[in-house]
């Protein structure tokens, strides 16, 4: 049975292909200076969904994986830190609290 056949019977199977397309389209939009075409609400919904899924997979499955495509090569440090800073502010947290929660995982990202 091929991948698309399996996903056809999975209510959430569409997410994998949509995520690939979203990643590609978001990269193109940013490169073209078109990020304003996506609403703030849509970006917040995507961030919330991504964070919720990542936490559920890493904590629930007791493992970790690189949360960025391409091993993080497609995201500039400034982009990452901008997002992390605003995520902390959204939850009324400080970098000190982040330092307390920070943990090293034994696995390495490949």
């Amino acid at each position: 049975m091929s991948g698309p056949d399996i996903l056809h019977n999975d209510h959430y199977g569409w997410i994998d292909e949509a995520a690939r397309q979203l990643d590609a389209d978001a990269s193109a939009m940013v490169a073209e200076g078109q990020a304003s075409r996506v609403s703030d609400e849509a970006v917040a919904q995507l961030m919330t969904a991504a964070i919720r899924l990542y936490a559920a997979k890493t904590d629930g499955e007791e493992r970790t994986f690189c949360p960025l495509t391409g091993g993080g090569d497609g995201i500039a440090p400034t982009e990452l830190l901008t997002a992390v800073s605003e995520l902390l502010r959204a939850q009324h947290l400080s970098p000190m609290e982040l330092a307390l929660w920070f943990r090293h995982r034994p696995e390495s990202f490949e």
Side-chain angles (χ1 to χ4, degrees):
M1 195 178 244
S2 67
D5 293 333
I6 294 170
L7 296 178
H8 179 71
N9 293 323
D10 181 351
H11 177 72
Y12 300 110
W14 64 271
I15 294 173
D16 286 298
E17 180 56 35
R20 281 186 284 278
Q21 188 65 52
L22 179 62
D23 188 25
D25 288 349
S27 293
M29 289 177 74
V30 169
E32 296 165 7
Q34 298 291 318
S36 63
R37 295 178 65 186
V38 179
S39 70
D40 295 354
E41 181 180 1
V43 172
Q45 290 169 331
L46 292 166
M47 291 283 287
T48 301
I51 291 165
R52 185 174 288 130
L53 285 169
Y54 187 82
K57 289 187 69 64
T58 57
D59 290 344
E61 297 174 10
E62 296 181 4
R63 66 184 186 91
T64 192
F65 58 93
C66 185
L68 303 172
T69 57
D73 292 340
I75 297 289
T78 302
E79 292 172 307
L80 179 85
L81 292 173
T82 296
V84 169
S85 295
E86 292 309 314
L87 289 167
L88 289 171
R89 278 192 192 99
Q91 290 292 311
H92 309 288
L93 298 171
S94 73
M96 178 59 108
E97 290 161 309
L98 175 61
L100 293 172
W101 276 83
F102 190 82
R103 61 183 180 242
H104 291 280
R105 298 277 188 162
E107 307 90 22
S108 63
F109 298 142
E110 296 181 28

